[in-house]
Amino acid sequence: MSLRILLLGGTGDALRIARGLPAGHVYSLAGLGKVPDDLKCEVRIGGFGGSAGLARYLTDAGIGLLVDATHPYAAQISANAAVASRAAQVPYWALRRAPWQPRAGDDWRIVGDWAQLVAELTPFARPLFTLGREPLAHLDEIPEHQYWTIRCLDAHPGNARACVVDARGPFTLDGERAFFAAVGADVVVSKNSGGRATEAKLEVARELGLPVVMLGRPALPDADRVFDDPCALLDALLAPYE
Ligand code: NAP
């Protein structure tokens, strides 16, 4: 076998790459979502214990190439990966998904953190949150004039002024149209995740003329090789086998 690969995942793109990896390589997940049981490569679950733990793992498991296909907002694991790869002297490749771009007529309001996000939402009554579980930590802070809909991967009872919808992408355009109609949102809150799986919400916001409050992307470390396409990354990983 050529270099043993550790693939850091937790996204649909990463799973597509993992499905192409032969036995002997390792696919790593934080353990928050579904664990695939049909891969040829090994699957490991859970944190490494920071960058030092990851560096130790790279050495102990005989890893020769570290590949980061985590979500663009998973900044901690990417920062750890960059540090650990240097410490263990293992090359670090990364999949960096291109961000979505606003189109003519779109009303995007870019914010840098939760406090700015909440301030930007002040004029609205029915925000639809589609940026993961973070709003669940703020259910007791919902302003009097607002009712929140929170779509995330967690099942949660919500409260009198918030409804939590447990749903996993990909989402279709027709599905999003129906969902938006049911929710009656007057503003959408999103990360700029990029990719096709969750892009339909932006199309529906455009159709309905809804503003989008967009949480800006975190800074990510440089990598030895950067890919914006999972197929190109997998091809490069499989090149030694051809
Ligand atoms: P994070 O803040 O960057 O990472 C937190 C900690 O979780 C890391 O320090 C690491 O623990 C552990 N971890 C994260 N990804 C891991 C992986 N692939 N394998 C092993 N340990 C991992 O990450 P997050 O934002 O909580 O996201 C967690 C996972 O969900 C990531 O794998 C990411 O790809 C996926 N995800 C995130 C988002 C998002 O919006 N953030 C969206 C979709 C999917 P140790 O320090 O102990 O090693």
Side-chain angles (χ1 to χ4, degrees):
M1 191 180 80
S2 59
L3 291 179
R4 186 168 201 224
I5 296 164
L6 173 63
L7 172 65
L8 302 172
T11 61
D13 283 346
L15 182 58
R16 272 186 285 282
I17 296 166
R19 286 195 195 289
L21 287 184
H25 302 296
V26 184
Y27 180 48
S28 174
L29 293 167
L32 304 176
K34 275 197 297 196
V35 177
D37 58 4
D38 58 346
L39 302 184
K40 293 190 279 301
C41 67
E42 184 186 320
V43 180
R44 70 160 297 288
I45 309 294
F48 297 92
S51 59
L54 178 53
R56 248 188 329 272
Y57 177 90
L58 293 173
T59 303
D60 294 349
I63 300 297
L65 174 61
L66 177 58
V67 179
D68 177 3
T70 59
H71 192 271
Y73 285 74
Q76 186 60 60
I77 186 69
S78 292
N80 291 352
V83 171
S85 71
R86 281 195 298 277
Q89 298 190 319
V90 166
Y92 171 52
W93 291 8
L95 181 68
R96 299 276 191 251
R97 215 191 275 168
W100 295 312
Q101 300 295 338
R103 302 214 193 127
D106 281 352
D107 177 5
W108 286 15
R109 304 165 188 203
I110 317 291
V111 294
D113 58 26
W114 181 259
Q116 282 179 25
L117 189 156
V118 167
E120 194 65 46
L121 289 178
T122 303
F124 300 99
R126 294 188 69 92
L128 167 58
F129 290 84
T130 64
L131 44 49
R133 66 170 57 83
E134 184 160 11
L136 300 181
H138 301 277
L139 290 179
D140 295 336
E141 302 156 23
I142 300 176
E144 290 285 322
H145 67 288
Q146 287 182 349
Y147 183 89
W148 291 6
T149 303
I150 300 156
R151 181 170 70 185
C152 64
L153 296 180
D154 303 37
H156 189 288
N159 66 19
R161 297 225 307 290
C163 164
V164 181
V165 179
D166 164 17
R168 177 183 296 274
F171 300 107
T172 64
L173 191 53
D174 283 344
E176 291 295 63
R177 285 182 179 131
F179 180 60
F180 274 56
V183 163
D186 57 1
V187 61
V188 183
V189 186
S190 179
K191 286 176 176 166
N192 193 338
S193 300
R196 304 299 305 276
T198 58
E199 193 181 19
K201 63 185 169 187
L202 298 178
E203 182 63 38
V204 178
R206 195 169 290 131
E207 288 173 1
L208 298 175
L210 295 181
V212 177
V213 174
M214 190 71 88
L215 184 63
R217 282 193 173 194
L220 295 175
D222 290 336
D224 297 307
R225 281 186 76 178
V226 174
F227 299 79
D228 63 6
D229 171 28
C231 298
L233 173 49
L234 181 59
D235 286 349
L237 296 176
L238 296 181
Y241 294 89
E242 291 168 2

